Amino acid sequence: MTQAEQAAFVRHCYETQYRTLEQAGSKEGMVRPTVPAVPADMRTGLADERGWPQWKLIPSPVTAEELDALEREFGLRFPSLLRTALSTCCHFFGNGYFTQRSDRPLEDFAGTMRDPVLFQAGLLPFAWWSGESGGSFLRCIDLANMPEEDRCPVVQIDDMKFFDLSQSGAPISREDLLPPLEPVAYNFKDYMEQLFLLPEKEC
């Protein structure tokens, strides 16, 4: 996809998810008590009966230079679709995706990357996922096939398994991380389609 096609795809995914949440009357479409106060420029001006403000999509202020700086900091090259997603819209999403506040648009995404073990092994963590069966998983893009990002799968690792590995005291290699990794999607585009365009399907 071209840059323009990627941006259109990202907006379509986000807008579809927002419409789905609104039609379902889900609390995910409104601010929950556990979500930090929504910046004023991300509010629609509408609220539910509890007074919780509804949020909206607005353009992301993230620049290419900021993303370049993150890539240098973590020693990774981000897939172009991920870069586009980070620089297209600010949004509040829950499970399985990063949030982008207009006042701190890279905070949530960058916060998943503070443990160097994963990205030193070529895994780019971008979101947390909590399954219906319980447990917490860190979702990552496996960059082993970069620069062919279409062949970079999305995988997840159980938080407790990763904790056990990191607490062992021994250096952790990519080979150590491969056995507990679970496949999630063929690539990041496929992941976004599953998460936002097929809401009835658990991703």
Side-chain angles (χ1 to χ4, degrees), residues 6 31 65 192 195:
Q6 286 183 346
V31 175
E65 290 74 20
M192 291 186 69
L195 191 67

Side-chain angles (χ1 to χ4, degrees), residues 183-198:
V184 176
Y186 183 71
N187 54 33
F188 191 60
K189 179 177 184 292
D190 183 59
Y191 181 79
M192 291 186 69
E193 289 174 340
Q194 290 181 41
L195 191 67
F196 297 127
L197 304 183
L198 301 173

Side-chain angles (χ1 to χ4, degrees), residues 7-8 18 61 72 75-76 81-82 93 101 123 130 134 142 165 195:
Y18 267 50
R72 289 193 298 269
L76 296 175
L81 181 58
L82 176 61
F93 288 125
R101 298 170 54 95
L123 298 170
S130 298
D142 186 349
L165 279 173
L195 191 67

Side-chain angles (χ1 to χ4, degrees), residues 1-10 80-81 84 88 149 189:
M1 290 189 289
T2 65
Q3 175 72 27
E5 289 170 339
Q6 286 183 346
F9 171 74
V10 169
S80 62
L81 181 58
T84 300
T88 297
E149 64 180 77
K189 179 177 184 292

Side-chain angles (χ1 to χ4, degrees), residues 11 35 38-39 75 81 89 91 98 109 125 143 145 164 169 201:
R11 285 192 295 270
V35 175
V38 176
L81 181 58
C89 294
H91 51 76
F98 50 85
F109 169 73
L143 301 177
N145 291 319
D164 290 342
K201 178 179 178 181

